[in-house]
Amino acid sequence: MTDSNPSVTPKHAFRMPKGWEAVIGLEVHAQLKTESKLFSSAPHAFGAAPNTQTTEVDVGLPGVLPVLNEKAVELALRLALALGAKVQPVSIFARKHYFYPDLPKGYQISQYEEPYCTDGAVPIELDGEARAIPLTRIHMEEDAAKNIHDDAVTGGGVTHVDLNRAGAPLVEIVSTPNIHSPEEAGAYLRSLRQILRYLEVSDADMEKGQFRCDANVSVRRAGDVKLGTRTELKNLNSFRFVERAIASEIRRQVELVEGGGKVLQQTLHWDDRSGTATPMRTKEQADDYRYFPDPDLPPLRVEPALLERIRGSLPELPHVRRARYVESFGLPSYDAAVLTEDRDVSAFFEAAVRLYGQPKTVSNWIMRDLLATTTEAGKGLSELPLTPEHLVELLKLVDAGRTTAGSAREVFAQMAKTGERPEAIMRARGLEAVSDSGELERLARTVIDANAAQVAKYRAGETKLLNFFVGQVMKASGGKADPAALREIMTRLLG
Ligand code: ADP
Ligand code: MG
């Protein structure tokens, strides 16, 4: 999904109905970044032709056995450790039974009573305040296949099944009911997605279905301790949808209860275009999935040595990095949030600062010019031929007065696209600063001659007019006059 806002969500926009409190718990499915599926050797690359990424295991043929993907376990553990969760030394894979065309075996392999980890928390920041949303658990499970109802694809009236996704490795991250506003839910999801990406546990691209969210919502009178009856919202395909759906559901529940009605425990399908949630099914009790331990899979045992190795390889997390940028680079928290949004961008920033110092100058160039380039190109930084050395060379050309700040932006745009060195671009495009004193003096005299009235005022003591004269020469030079040399010449000629 495209969402370039920094992970720090801005001001509260939703107004909670007076006297009420909302309670929200989120269930997120994230697809693990592995080559192969959770229990088979088939790949699960996005966008492959239907039914080309399957083995006997994914199709559910009898007599085949699932084999647990070690890499998937490692990634799941990485997430658990990064979120401070408790990893269980032994966990169990269970069969969850239901009947649907997207499930060839008739059951999904998941974890139920004994998930691989419990507890932990997701750090969030909202309105400048940091807090942590505690988790109930994280478990591993295989994805279901995909039913395709789209008439354009199926030719109308039929449903096709694409088994490419069947068995893809997922983690389900379940929050405790401790989120209290749509914005807080948004902040939670942005933070979690960012952490998954920092850890390289998941690409967490919502548009590719690699990050999916269900929202459980209930309301209660302010001060009540007992939880209200919840509904579960499905089909939340973007962070904006999640926030809108939750806001709308809170209002609906409050109006319902204030009107003497009762919230039914339901699963609701959110339609963002109409802004309404329609009941899919009403559950009086938990669905009966007839869970039992999968006899084909041994219990998962996690050795302490493995945990230690993974712990040692964890990167600095985004919220820790943000704080460090404010503390040790003296950056505003807005800059810190923008720079740490993407791990590649933040590595670029740090490398440039190591070479050049001046964190705020580097930050300005990245926030203004570099991110404009990536956004415009629709590419990640790693896909551009630009290195920190490029930026630093350019900044040094500006410092040496060899090009102006204005021309440097033009050089930047070009080098970000082509990877050419800034000096070569500057020469080829004639973007060198004019620092030749003869040439500057000639331009300065022309401007002085054409502005007799301003010259008189300047000489009468209005010295702030110097900026006016410098500006005029700058314009006449096509933005290329070396500002320091020019000021000096101008002051001399006017004085
Ligand atoms: P299930 O497995 O049936 O979906 P869980 O008890 O595992 O149910 O809860 C799923 C999610 O619902 C969790 O994120 C939890 O925080 C949330 N939740 C549970 N009760 C409530 C409630 N009364 N209001 C809001 N969210 C709730
Ligand atoms: Mg649920």
Side-chain angles (χ1 to χ4, degrees):
M1 79 154 286
T2 47
D3 181 298
S4 56
N5 289 335
S7 292
V8 181
T9 309
K11 278 249 152 285
H12 269 85
F14 173 75
R15 198 161 308 137
M16 193 62 207
K18 241 190 141 44
W20 289 90
E21 184 186 45
V23 177
I24 300 152
L26 298 175
E27 294 164 276
V28 170
H29 286 94
Q31 190 180 93
L32 297 170
K33 202 174 171 165
T34 58
E35 298 287 328
S36 54
K37 294 183 177 178
L38 189 54
F39 299 110
S40 93
S41 59
H44 59 92
F46 181 79
N51 296 309
T52 56
Q53 306 195 117
T54 57
T55 66
E56 299 82 344
V57 173
D58 312 304
V59 179
L61 290 186
V64 296
L65 287 173
V67 178
L68 182 58
N69 180 340
E70 228 173 273
K71 177 74 193 292
V73 173
E74 236 178 76
L75 293 178
L77 291 171
R78 241 170 118 68
L79 177 67
L81 293 177
L83 297 178
K86 281 188 207 138
V87 173
Q88 303 305 314
V90 181
S91 65
I92 304 287
F93 286 99
R95 293 183 178 181
K96 174 181 179 176
H97 298 82
Y98 64 90
F99 183 72
Y100 204 61
D102 70 2
L103 198 66
K105 297 194 296 293
Y107 61 85
Q108 175 193 24
I109 306 177
S110 180
Q111 294 190 306
Y112 184 55
E113 281 171 338
E114 303 289 343
Y116 83 94
C117 91
T118 62
D119 302 283
V122 173
I124 68 164
E125 209 174 305
L126 189 64
D127 298 345
E129 255 174 68
R131 62 177 289 230
I133 306 291
L135 300 177
T136 308
R137 60 190 269 154
I138 310 176
H139 66 254
M140 283 177 260
E141 64 184 29
E142 58 176 351
D143 208 343
K146 216 169 165 173
N147 289 345
I148 301 169
H149 307 288
D150 183 356
D151 284 355
V153 179
T154 62
V158 272
T159 293
H160 290 209
V161 181
D162 177 5
L163 291 165
N164 283 353
R165 207 180 65 182
L170 303 176
V171 275
E172 179 173 346
I173 303 132
V174 183
S175 88
T176 56
N178 273 300
I179 297 169
H180 299 292
S181 71
E183 290 79 11
E184 217 169 51
Y188 172 92
L189 294 172
R190 287 186 178 89
S191 173
L192 180 57
R193 181 183 62 173
Q194 193 187 23
I195 290 169
L196 287 163
R197 289 180 176 172
Y198 259 63
L199 296 170
E200 297 182 88
V201 160
S202 171
D203 286 333
D205 187 335
M206 253 178 145
E207 278 167 3
K208 294 183 181 164
Q210 296 162 341
F211 187 94
R212 311 196 288 265
C213 165
D214 301 331
N216 298 270
V217 179
S218 65
V219 296
R220 64 185 172 195
R221 303 267 178 196
D224 278 3
V225 183
K226 198 169 165 278
L227 293 174
T229 304
R230 72 176 148 130
T231 57
E232 183 172 356
L233 291 158
K234 300 240 177 213
N235 193 39
L236 306 173
N237 295 326
S238 80
F239 292 160
R240 230 168 318 133
F241 285 15
V242 175
E243 294 187 26
R244 273 206 287 263
I246 292 173
S248 149
E249 182 57 14
I250 293 170
R251 280 190 217 103
R252 185 190 73 86
Q253 290 187 12
V254 168
E255 273 171 33
L256 182 66
V257 179
E258 284 189 335
K262 254 181 120 176
V263 175
L264 296 177
Q265 187 170 340
Q266 280 176 325
T267 303
L268 305 169
H269 180 93
W270 175 249
D271 176 17
D272 199 70
R273 237 179 310 161
S274 62
T276 51
T278 342
M280 294 165 72
R281 54 179 190 267
T282 303
K283 2 181 174 175
E284 305 280 293
Q285 286 159 333
D287 292 312
D288 185 6
Y289 292 118
R290 294 174 293 122
Y291 279 100
F292 64 77
D294 192 316
D296 290 341
L297 286 159
L300 171 64
R301 286 172 209 283
V302 178
E303 299 301 329
L306 174 64
L307 284 183
E308 279 328 296
R309 181 168 67 71
I310 295 173
R311 207 189 295 278
S313 75
L314 291 178
E316 181 179 41
L317 288 185
H319 68 291
V320 178
R321 185 165 291 182
R322 276 202 298 277
R324 179 164 63 82
Y325 281 17
V326 172
E327 286 257 308
S328 58
F329 294 132
L331 290 179
S333 56
Y334 180 79
D335 290 45
V338 174
L339 294 173
T340 54
E341 181 60 23
D342 179 282
R343 212 176 139 184
D344 291 337
V345 171
S346 111
F348 187 103
F349 165 77
E350 292 196 31
V353 170
R354 261 195 305 277
L355 294 167
Y356 181 72
Q358 307 204 43
K360 183 54 184 159
T361 304
V362 174
S363 167
N364 289 345
W365 276 89
I366 290 178
M367 293 204 304
R368 190 189 54 197
D369 297 88
L370 190 149
L371 295 179
T373 309
T374 51
T375 306
E376 200 181 303
K379 286 181 177 169
L381 175 55
S382 62
E383 296 167 90
L384 296 182
L386 187 74
T387 66
E389 286 77 11
H390 280 92
L391 175 58
V392 171
E393 278 172 35
L394 181 62
L395 294 176
K396 287 182 175 166
L397 289 174
V398 177
D399 291 344
R402 296 194 49 208
T403 189
T404 62
S407 298
R409 297 193 62 189
E410 199 179 324
V411 173
F412 185 95
Q414 174 74 6
M415 71 181 189
K417 269 184 224 130
T418 64
E420 287 166 86
R421 309 313 300 196
E423 180 150 2
I425 298 171
M426 180 184 80
R427 286 172 190 272
R429 296 204 162 193
L431 291 169
E432 287 113 324
V434 178
S435 53
D436 171 61
S437 54
E439 173 66 5
L440 287 178
E441 210 168 307
R442 192 186 60 74
L443 288 170
R445 285 189 195 283
T446 317
V447 167
I448 288 173
D449 291 348
N451 294 283
Q454 271 84 354
V455 174
K457 280 193 197 162
Y458 177 90
R459 290 185 173 148
E462 231 182 283
T463 50
K464 67 172 190 294
L465 276 171
L466 180 65
N467 290 330
F468 163 78
F469 290 106
V470 168
Q472 291 296 306
V473 177
M474 192 54 95
K475 216 166 167 187
S477 74
K480 292 190 224 158
D482 172 0
L486 171 60
R487 285 188 95 79
E488 212 179 289
I489 288 168
M490 206 67 202
T491 313
R492 178 163 53 77
L493 293 180
L494 285 168

